[in-house]
Amino acid sequence: TLASAMPEGPRDTTEWYTGVDPLAIVDENLLAYVREHAGSSILDLGCGTGGYSKRLQDDGCSVQALDVNEEYVKIAQSLGVAATHFDGQKIPLPDNAVETTFLFEVLEHVPEPGKLLSEIRRVTAKNVIISVPNCTFSFDPAPVTFSHNLELDHKNFFTKPSLRQLLSEYFPFVHVAQIEPWDRSIVAKLLPRTLFYAYRLVDNLRLIKPRVYFRLLAEARLED
């Protein structure tokens, strides 16, 4: 039986997702962003178990998927996703093969992200959409960290400026935003229900500005 969510705690993502329902871990906001900003042909790079590719295919999109994890590729293929194993360095596609490439929670695992971005630029004709864990904010001196920073195979820890700087080396037009306010999530867990409803009311009126965000979402384009 597949779990509907990932358990908490330190994890090695090379095997963490094998027992989790691929469709249950799709982030609807990220999916909506791809739907709005992607071109007619899409590459899901680092597709994992294929949840995003499956949803986009069901929408009628033309999607190719690649991952370095052979077990994940098999799971994606079982969903009907056009998934292929690759070595993590050379993307097995010709120049300008797709209009849009997206990488969700991938770049932080790549030992040499610049080399991969060079390949992505080669095969992508329009734009690249990337999400990574947000390390812009520090909780020091409190011993607190986001759960995604417990992943044992992270190689990079991006801040908003460092992600923008890296992408700007390969793409002329780059926008990076902090998304998914952490404040709201933690308040929901800590406040009594009545106080939380009051907080939501004030928040919905935009009288409270979030300070801490869980993710970075970037779009890098070849044309403005």
Side-chain angles (χ1 to χ4, degrees):
T1 302
L2 295 177
S4 61
M6 294 182 295
E8 296 295 326
R11 51 186 179 257
D12 178 350
T13 56
T14 58
E15 56 186 34
W16 194 255
Y17 298 93
T18 54
V20 180
D21 181 356
L23 299 179
I25 56 178
V26 171
D27 185 296
E28 295 296 333
N29 292 323
L30 293 179
L31 185 67
Y33 193 91
V34 173
R35 286 171 174 154
E36 182 178 354
H37 294 269
S40 59
S41 57
I42 302 171
L43 171 62
D44 181 355
L45 188 60
C47 66
T49 52
Y52 287 97
S53 288
K54 171 62 174 173
R55 291 285 301 276
L56 290 166
Q57 281 185 186
D58 288 348
D59 288 342
C61 298
S62 173
V63 185
Q64 300 181 68
L66 296 171
D67 203 277
V68 298
N69 188 312
E70 293 186 76
E71 186 62 31
Y72 288 175
V73 167
K74 291 177 183 177
I75 295 171
Q77 290 172 342
S78 73
L79 299 177
V81 170
T84 304
H85 176 260
F86 86 121
D87 63 8
Q89 299 180 28
K90 179 70 173 179
I91 298 176
L93 294 174
D95 295 358
N96 299 319
V98 295
E99 286 198 52
T100 300
T101 296
F102 72 87
L103 304 84
F104 288 159
E105 314 301 293
V106 173
L107 209 58
E108 65 272 21
H109 301 282
V110 178
E112 298 182 273
K115 289 186 177 180
L116 185 60
L117 287 169
S118 180
E119 269 291 277
I120 291 169
R121 172 156 185 173
R122 180 184 64 80
V123 303
T124 306
K126 178 186 174 185
N127 65 333
V128 178
I129 300 169
I130 294 172
S131 76
V132 294
N134 183 17
C135 299
T136 304
F137 183 88
S138 172
F139 293 98
D140 287 342
V144 175
T145 188
F146 288 130
S147 62
H148 56 213
N149 287 332
L150 298 176
E151 294 183 0
L152 304 176
D153 53 344
H154 276 192
K155 304 294 190 297
N156 308 291
F157 298 87
F158 292 105
T159 64
K160 184 177 179 181
S162 70
L163 182 60
R164 182 189 298 113
Q165 180 179 354
L166 176 64
L167 295 177
S168 295
E169 295 177 19
Y170 301 91
F171 300 92
F173 303 98
V174 176
H175 175 73
V176 181
Q178 298 184 87
I179 63 170
E180 298 183 22
W182 180 79
D183 311 57
R184 295 168 186 165
S185 299
I186 195 64
V187 165
K189 294 179 183 297
L190 295 180
L191 286 183
R193 181 174 298 180
T194 53
L195 289 179
F196 175 63
Y197 287 150
Y199 175 90
R200 278 183 53 184
L201 175 62
V202 176
D203 186 34
N204 290 337
L205 293 172
R206 301 190 182 279
L207 298 177
I208 298 176
K209 184 177 180 180
R211 297 178 57 249
V212 184
Y213 294 84
F214 185 75
R215 267 196 186 107
L216 296 174
L217 178 62
E219 182 180 8
R221 304 177 65 91
L222 293 168
E223 296 182 359
D224 195 3

